[in-house]
Amino acid sequence: MDAELAFLDSMRAMSEVTGNYETEGVAEPDQANSQSLHEASDHSKDINAPSSTAHADDSLNAVPAVSPSLPSSAETLDPNSNSAQVSQTDAGDQTPEYDPTDALASPRPYTPNVVEGKTKPAEPRTVGGFIVDDDDEDDDDISGSVDAAGRLAASDDGARGTSRTPRLSSIQSPLNTLASAQDVSLANAAPNRASSVAQNGSHDASVNPASLSSPDARLRAQGAVLDAAQGNQFSQAADTTVPSSSTGTTSKTVPKARLPHDRVGILEDRVKEDPRGDINAWLGLIEEHRKRNKVDDARGVYERFLKLFPMAGEQWVAYANMELGNNDFFRLEQLFNKSLLTIPYLQLWSLYLDYVRRRNNLTTDPAGTARTIVSQAYDFVLQNVGLDKDSGRIWQDYIQFTRSGPGMIGGSNWQDQQKMDQLRKAYQRAICVPTSAVNSLWKEYDAFEMGLNKITGRKFLQEKSPAYMTARSSFTELENITQGLNRTTLPKLPPAPGFDGDDEFTKQVQLWKRWIDWERHDPLVLKDEDTAAYKARVVFVFQQALMALRFWPAMWFEASEYAFENGLEKEGTEFLVQGMAANPESCLLAFKRADRLENTLSAEEGEDGLKRRGATVRQPYDKVLDALYELIAQAKSREAQEISRIEEQSATGLLFPGTSKGEEDDDEEREAQKAAKDAVKQSQIKIVQDGTAVQVRILSRAISFAWIALMRAMRRVQGKGKVGDVVGGSRQIFTDARKRGRLTSDVYVASALIEYHCYKDPAATKIFERGMKLFPEDENFALEYLKHLIAINDVTNARAVFETTVSKLTQRSETRSKAKPICAFFHQFEAHYGELSQIAKLEKRMSDLFPEDPQLSRFSHRFATQGFDPTAVRPIISPKTQTRPKALPSIENPPSAQSTPPPRFVQPSHSPKRSLPTEDHDAGASRPRKLARGESPLKGAAGRRLDQQKRTQQLSHGQVTQNQWATQAPPPPPLPRDVLFLLSIIPGAHTYHAARFKPEAMVRLLRDTNIPAQQGSAPRMPPAGAMHGQPNGRVEPPFLSL
């Protein structure tokens, strides 16, 4: 009913607005301001009117349009008056020191950073003292409180004279129709209708100056001009919202599809829809412009792309090559100025070096100016990217460039000596860097030094040999660490956990972290000798990682932390600033940046100093909040477009291509088909809505915790402050948060606890009461409210809140489980401080509500604490019988013998024929030379006892001859207990699958090895294989690989 009333009211309001736009134009600023002042005065009378209901709480939701020239009602409160908790039945005329409900009853309008102009602030629609828009809470959070608010609607609206006034959405340019606001309403019809009149009436972009009396009119005129100039192919009907008969929500019509041959338009649409995710669309758009030789258009796309991806070195190189191919050296040098110092990309620096060498001809350089410029360019390049493991070619080119200079190696004049010193310095720098060319550079350096003077050469080589060995081994180790690493500069958004590409992305993150950790462990031993070089190497690797992981906030955080820990303040701040620009929705980077600002800002005296400090600290929070609110708006816009697409497909029959519409179908079949179509359509719409609801819920929690962090920071900087004052403090943040909406109960809990713990203000209880009305089914909020009431020793209200919350949650089966933590907490409180009758009554109620919980755990919960349960203690009565150690596992029959397959023995046989192998007998077990033995040779005394028993049985049956055992050996002494235990836990022989040693083969090998006979020695014996009948005297190897 409320939604229908809002819909009708919005239609009536929009008919008036559109009539004004069409007939009289936009109202003058003075008229708009006077109307706003009149409404503010009328609404302030409604607020101050006495009411039989909760006076302080109901006035909270009436948000009038306050003119900047008039003080709000929050400023007229007496801050020095003290009051206790105000009940709903006896509110009176008391004014507390800080009443959040009074402060929020007439807050100043929130003015984001948009086009400056005087527009009439809109009033929210209130029902029963509650704002039913999403200013206070998310749509999902308020769903449980709509019923309670609806019951008070009739009495409250009649008593206070509150009218339902639809909130007008912000007027947008026709070019921004796809990125609409989060709530779709018919209030958008007025600007859309005006823009459509401007577009359809005249396509020559002519605008009447008299109609541009307000920023809204100028925005509409600008949109009409841009539409006419660009030939926008989107239909203006896409901006008009219509009610959906099937879902009861508003939707948008999908923009018209472009023609297949409009390749540029299709790519532009893809870029506009997903600028950070669809990199292929960017690259395809650039390629399309270059194919058509539209260099200016390609430059424009490059500039847009590099503004969004400023560290994409590959595209900087492609852009520079395009300008170099056009011989536009001025633009090329501008590109180098914008990119080189911020992007340590090796190919970009190599291109710069090639350009410098091209522009400075060394063959026609009698004065040596060109050589000096090229030499400085080499030093500049090597200083920035000479640390890269792939920079070996640049080092080799630099040495060859130095060799080609004037002078002769080994000469005696000053020029020859200067060239020798330059070469020695270049070689000594190059051999200390782990690159692929370090081996060849060392060989060249060795030849260079030894060619000059062997004595001094050995001295220099001996000094630099440890650094070279370290660099060579480090490069090998680095190659192994970075194996599989994709050193791209085109970043990708991290896939959602569990979706396609998540494993590959996580692997790349781990590889980059391994490289960074390797550098931080200082494998080149630079930390003690050259600390600056060590820090430069680590920062360089962080920069390389961030080019590929630009959208991974944790990497930016780690880079800034390392920089701050090592005294690199400039680099650390730059990491945070660039990280926030790349990830504006990251709470991690925003919180880190705000903490850094709060710690480094100097304390200033006076209100102006507090105001400046608060504004500086608040900047990172405002950026992340704006980004998160924008994400919610985009999610809502995508939802509306997707629902419109589904409805259009359903209306045109695209969802059901197999259905027929023949006349022979009777009414029943048509009704059945229609019902099936509606069911499928509703199921698809529900899937879209559920997915959007999950995203909005997560984003709403992130927004709430960002407001909480800002509230706590402003309390530290400005204190509790005063709403609407120069120093607003934490209370102003709470007011601003409620204006923007999309809040969860966590914001109310945090604000109330700040008021209580920091200032002992009774306003904390009022905030909890207000939140309880907004979130009646939030079990976490109710639990925190109970804890607060018990902390202030208000047990009576705590029992009332407990009864109200549990009764409401247990009315429906789907919310019954939410009452369990509340019951458990209050049961613990009653067990500690209540009467036994109350405890028994509560336990009986809990057993009826949650019969699956055992009675024992519920009873023991009375006496247990977090770390100890006295009811579960098992005392020791008889140490001899209760503390007897367990028997060790038997060696003869280990516990794992039942789960392991039986050993494969070859039973002794007296038959001259070979026995037939079984099915599960492998081929290796039937080899004639393989010895048959037991499961494991490490059986200790038990194994020897079993062997002795077998021998005794064989002797008794006459199977043992005198050649085998002449005398029976006495049994060996038993092994110690520890040795037996060790033998019991050693795995059996069947678990060993590597090469097995064959002692008889080793003996045979040693015996049959032919040793060259010396003079006068005995004649050489024939091979043992020949004597044993083996062909060619082949000797079996002592190891058999399994």
Side-chain angles (χ1 to χ4, degrees):
M1 181 62 69
D2 294 336
E4 294 176 359
L5 291 176
F7 172 71
L8 295 176
D9 292 341
S10 62
M11 289 185 62
R12 288 193 296 269
M14 291 316 303
S15 63
E16 298 174 359
V17 174
T18 53
N20 294 334
Y21 282 146
E22 294 178 357
T23 57
E24 300 177 359
V26 182
E28 294 294 329
D30 295 337
Q31 296 177 2
N33 291 337
S34 62
Q35 184 179 3
S36 176
L37 297 178
H38 178 68
E39 292 181 5
S41 60
D42 292 343
H43 202 79
S44 62
K45 295 177 182 179
D46 295 338
I47 295 174
N48 298 325
S51 175
S52 59
T53 57
H55 177 76
D57 292 329
D58 290 344
S59 63
L60 173 61
N61 294 283
V63 184
V66 182
S67 174
S69 61
L70 290 181
S72 63
S73 60
E75 297 176 356
T76 61
L77 299 178
D78 185 7
N80 298 323
S81 61
N82 299 322
S83 64
Q85 179 181 354
V86 180
S87 62
Q88 295 184 358
T89 58
D90 188 14
D93 295 329
Q94 298 177 355
T95 304
E97 179 181 357
Y98 169 64
D99 191 345
T101 59
D102 292 338
L104 294 175
S106 56
R108 292 188 176 182
Y110 183 81
T111 55
N113 297 326
V114 295
V115 181
E116 184 177 352
K118 297 181 180 180
T119 59
K120 175 183 175 180
E123 298 180 2
R125 181 169 62 88
T126 60
V127 175
F130 295 93
I131 297 179
V132 297
D133 263 332
D134 51 1
D135 292 342
D136 288 322
E137 63 279 346
D138 195 357
D139 295 339
D140 300 329
D141 297 330
I142 200 173
S143 60
S145 62
V146 173
D147 296 337
R151 288 193 296 268
L152 299 176
S155 60
D156 251 8
D157 292 344
R160 303 175 59 207
T162 305
S163 62
R164 292 183 176 88
T165 304
R167 173 170 296 186
L168 298 180
S169 62
S170 60
I171 299 177
Q172 299 180 348
S173 172
L175 294 180
N176 299 325
T177 54
L178 291 180
S180 61
Q182 60 186 0
D183 293 327
V184 183
S185 65
L186 284 180
N188 292 326
N192 292 332
R193 186 172 179 181
S195 61
S196 63
V197 170
Q199 183 177 6
N200 298 329
S202 175
H203 288 279
D204 57 356
S206 61
V207 182
N208 184 11
S211 63
L212 302 181
S213 57
S214 68
D216 297 335
R218 288 194 294 269
L219 283 175
R220 293 193 302 276
Q222 182 182 4
V225 171
L226 292 176
D227 284 347
Q230 297 181 359
N232 192 359
Q233 299 184 12
F234 293 103
S235 174
Q236 291 297 325
D239 301 337
T240 306
T241 59
V242 294
S244 174
S245 59
S246 59
T247 60
T249 59
T250 57
S251 60
K252 293 183 177 181
T253 58
V254 181
K256 292 182 179 180
R258 294 184 181 268
L259 297 177
H261 66 271
D262 189 6
R263 178 69 177 168
V264 174
I266 294 173
L267 292 174
E268 286 285 0
D269 292 343
R270 288 173 55 186
V271 167
K272 184 177 180 180
E273 181 181 358
D274 190 8
R276 285 196 292 175
D278 199 350
I279 297 181
N280 294 329
W282 284 104
L283 302 182
L285 185 59
I286 293 172
E287 185 65 23
E288 192 68 25
H289 285 309
R290 296 190 64 176
K291 283 182 181 179
R292 303 181 182 185
N293 293 326
K294 295 183 178 180
V295 180
D296 292 336
D297 293 341
R299 287 194 186 106
V301 179
Y302 267 124
E303 293 294 336
R304 289 158 51 197
F305 177 83
L306 294 174
K307 185 178 181 180
L308 192 60
F309 303 94
M311 301 182 71
E314 298 174 13
Q315 295 309 306
W316 281 107
V317 172
Y319 192 8
N321 282 327
M322 186 186 74
E323 301 294 356
L324 189 63
N326 296 328
N327 291 328
D328 196 339
F329 298 140
F330 176 74
R331 292 181 183 272
L332 180 61
E333 292 175 2
Q334 286 184 334
L335 292 180
F336 285 143
N337 291 331
K338 290 191 296 184
S339 61
L340 281 178
L341 294 179
T342 57
I343 304 173
Y345 186 54
L346 186 62
Q347 280 72 20
L348 180 63
W349 286 86
S350 299
L351 181 63
Y352 162 74
L353 193 58
D354 294 340
Y355 171 74
V356 172
R357 297 182 67 176
R358 174 181 174 179
R359 299 286 289 175
N360 295 272
N361 192 356
L362 300 180
T363 58
T364 58
D365 184 31
T369 305
R371 177 169 290 275
T372 303
I373 294 175
V374 175
S375 179
Q376 293 175 354
Y378 266 113
D379 291 336
F380 182 52
V381 171
L382 292 174
Q383 183 181 0
N384 286 274
V385 295
L387 305 176
D388 199 301
K389 70 182 186 69
D390 298 329
S391 62
R393 188 183 64 85
I394 298 182
W395 284 105
Q396 289 177 332
D397 292 344
Y398 176 52
I399 291 175
Q400 293 300 325
F401 169 77
T402 308
R403 279 182 176 272
S404 64
M408 183 178 62
I409 299 175
S412 58
N413 58 16
W414 66 270
Q415 198 172 24
D416 300 335
Q417 296 293 326
Q418 184 184 41
K419 182 176 182 179
M420 182 182 63
D421 293 340
Q422 290 177 353
L423 269 177
R424 179 177 289 113
K425 182 180 179 180
Y427 273 123
Q428 290 179 355
R429 288 176 60 191
I431 61 176
C432 296
V433 180
T435 61
S436 58
V438 65
N439 290 330
S440 60
L441 290 173
W442 173 258
K443 292 178 181 179
E444 293 177 8
Y445 179 55
D446 182 88
F448 168 75
E449 292 290 358
M450 298 302 291
L452 293 177
N453 191 326
K454 293 187 177 181
I455 298 177
T456 57
R458 289 192 184 95
K459 173 181 175 294
F460 285 121
L461 292 174
Q462 187 177 4
E463 290 177 355
K464 290 298 179 181
S465 179
Y468 157 70
M469 296 297 293
T470 302
R472 186 180 67 175
S473 60
S474 298
F475 175 75
T476 304
E477 186 177 357
L478 186 58
E479 284 290 304
N480 297 329
I481 290 176
T482 59
Q483 187 176 5
L485 183 65
N486 183 17
R487 296 187 62 181
T488 181
T489 61
L490 293 176
K492 295 194 308 180
L493 290 171
F499 287 83
D500 182 34
D502 177 42
D503 296 337
E504 292 79 5
F505 187 87
T506 304
K507 182 180 179 181
Q508 291 297 316
V509 173
Q510 296 302 325
L511 289 175
W512 280 112
K513 287 184 177 180
R514 285 176 57 187
W515 189 359
I516 294 171
D517 293 340
W518 183 81
E519 290 287 353
R520 296 184 69 171
H521 282 84
D522 192 21
L524 298 177
V525 196
L526 297 173
K527 186 181 294 185
D528 298 332
E529 299 177 358
D530 192 354
T531 307
Y534 163 73
K535 295 178 181 179
R537 286 192 63 88
V538 179
V539 171
F540 177 79
V541 179
F542 269 118
Q543 292 174 341
Q544 297 294 314
L546 289 171
M547 286 193 293
L549 304 178
R550 178 174 177 81
F551 301 126
W552 190 251
M555 188 61 69
W556 292 100
F557 177 85
E558 293 178 5
S560 63
E561 278 291 296
Y562 173 81
F564 291 139
E565 289 174 359
N566 291 271
L568 305 175
E569 297 292 331
K570 181 181 178 181
E571 289 80 359
T573 303
E574 189 67 22
F575 280 135
L576 286 179
V577 172
Q578 293 183 8
M580 289 186 61
N583 305 274
E585 67 284 340
S586 173
C587 293
L588 173 65
L589 298 178
F591 295 168
K592 178 61 181 177
R593 175 64 175 158
D595 287 349
R596 192 68 189 174
L597 290 174
E598 187 177 348
N599 289 328
T600 55
L601 286 178
S602 58
E604 300 182 19
E605 300 294 336
E607 291 186 352
D608 293 337
L610 292 178
K611 180 181 179 181
R612 284 192 295 269
R613 289 192 66 200
T616 304
V617 173
R618 184 169 179 172
Q619 287 180 358
Y621 293 106
D622 287 338
K623 290 181 179 179
V624 69
L625 285 169
D626 293 340
L628 292 173
Y629 277 111
E630 180 63 24
L631 288 179
I632 291 182
Q634 293 175 5
K636 290 288 187 179
S637 177
R638 287 194 299 266
E639 178 190 14
Q641 294 180 18
E642 190 65 21
I643 292 175
S644 298
R645 184 187 63 82
I646 293 173
E647 291 178 348
E648 281 192 3
Q649 291 180 356
S650 176
T652 57
L654 295 179
L655 288 179
F656 310 93
T659 57
S660 61
K661 298 181 179 180
E663 297 179 357
E664 65 276 3
D665 297 339
D666 55 4
D667 295 339
E668 295 182 358
E669 292 181 358
R670 284 196 294 269
E671 291 296 333
Q673 290 182 2
K674 183 178 179 182
K677 291 180 181 180
D678 293 340
V680 173
K681 183 181 71 173
Q682 292 298 331
S683 64
Q684 293 186 0
I685 292 176
K686 188 176 185 304
I687 291 174
V688 174
Q689 292 176 342
D690 291 344
T692 305
V694 172
Q695 299 179 27
V696 171
R697 191 178 304 114
I698 295 174
L699 292 173
S700 298
R701 294 213 69 185
I703 288 173
S704 299
F705 279 86
W707 281 115
I708 292 172
L710 176 57
M711 193 186 309
R712 292 168 178 169
M714 296 304 290
R715 185 203 61 80
R716 293 190 297 265
V717 174
Q718 297 181 345
K720 63 181 179 180
K722 181 180 179 182
V723 177
D725 200 358
V726 176
V727 182
S730 61
R731 293 176 173 177
Q732 183 64 51
I733 302 302
F734 182 53
T735 304
D736 294 343
R738 297 189 70 249
K739 291 177 191 176
R740 298 195 69 175
R742 293 294 178 187
L743 303 182
T744 62
S745 60
D746 305 283
V747 178
Y748 289 82
V749 172
S751 178
L753 294 181
I754 286 175
E755 295 290 339
Y756 173 70
H757 290 288
C758 297
Y759 308 111
K760 301 297 181 183
D761 199 297
T765 305
K766 295 184 175 64
I767 297 175
F768 270 118
E769 291 177 356
R770 173 63 179 149
M772 200 64 198
K773 296 178 181 179
L774 296 173
F775 311 100
E777 295 186 357
D778 192 337
E779 70 278 11
N780 296 322
F781 181 82
L783 189 60
E784 294 296 332
Y785 190 15
L786 286 174
K787 292 179 181 178
H788 170 72
L789 292 175
I790 291 174
I792 64 176
N793 202 21
D794 192 355
V795 182
T796 303
N797 283 332
R799 296 182 189 276
V801 170
F802 170 75
E803 291 294 336
T804 304
T805 306
V806 172
S807 300
K808 183 173 296 184
L809 291 177
T810 55
Q811 287 178 357
R812 301 196 308 267
S813 59
E814 58 269 16
T815 59
R816 183 173 300 173
S817 60
K818 293 183 178 182
K820 183 177 289 188
I822 302 176
C823 293
F825 170 77
F826 209 74
H827 175 262
Q828 186 179 16
F829 169 75
E830 292 286 1
H832 291 173
Y833 313 108
E835 300 294 335
L836 186 58
S837 58
Q838 294 289 341
I839 300 173
K841 182 180 178 181
L842 182 57
E843 288 183 352
K844 178 63 171 59
R845 186 177 183 182
M846 292 173 65
S847 63
D848 296 338
L849 291 175
F850 315 109
E852 66 277 3
D853 294 342
Q855 293 286 347
L856 177 60
S857 62
R858 189 178 298 112
F859 179 79
S860 62
H861 188 257
R862 295 191 199 175
F863 315 98
T865 60
Q866 187 175 0
F868 183 72
D869 185 5
T871 62
V873 173
R874 294 161 56 182
I876 304 299
I877 307 301
S878 174
K880 292 183 179 180
T881 58
Q882 293 181 272
T883 60
R884 188 165 47 192
K886 292 183 179 181
L888 294 174
S890 175
I891 302 176
E892 289 80 359
N893 188 16
S896 61
Q898 299 178 358
S899 59
T900 57
R904 297 171 179 173
F905 290 102
V906 179
Q907 299 295 335
S909 175
H910 299 284
S911 175
K913 296 183 179 180
R914 187 176 302 171
S915 59
L916 181 65
T918 58
E919 295 180 357
D920 58 347
H921 205 278
D922 54 10
S926 62
R927 294 177 182 176
R929 292 182 300 275
K930 183 175 179 66
L931 297 179
R933 60 184 181 182
E935 178 183 0
S936 173
L938 301 176
K939 286 300 184 182
R944 285 190 287 272
R945 285 196 295 270
L946 292 176
D947 189 29
Q948 184 64 29
Q949 293 177 2
K950 292 180 180 179
R951 293 180 182 180
T952 304
Q953 293 177 0
Q954 292 176 357
L955 287 173
S956 62
H957 289 81
Q959 297 177 356
V960 181
T961 60
Q962 187 177 1
N963 294 332
Q964 291 178 340
W965 295 288
T967 58
Q968 183 178 357
L975 295 176
R977 178 181 177 183
D978 296 337
V979 176
L980 292 177
F981 176 74
L982 175 63
L983 294 177
S984 66
I985 63 176
I986 293 177
H990 65 278
T991 62
Y992 183 74
H993 301 292
R996 296 193 180 188
F997 178 74
K998 298 180 65 176
E1000 68 278 4
M1002 177 61 73
V1003 172
R1004 189 182 303 115
L1005 176 64
L1006 295 176
R1007 183 185 61 189
D1008 299 339
T1009 302
N1010 294 327
I1011 301 176
Q1014 297 180 359
Q1015 188 71 23
S1017 61
R1020 187 172 58 184
M1021 298 294 295
M1027 294 187 296
H1028 292 281
Q1030 297 181 1
N1032 299 327
R1034 181 176 60 86
V1035 180
E1036 185 182 358
F1039 290 91
L1040 177 63
S1041 178
L1042 297 181

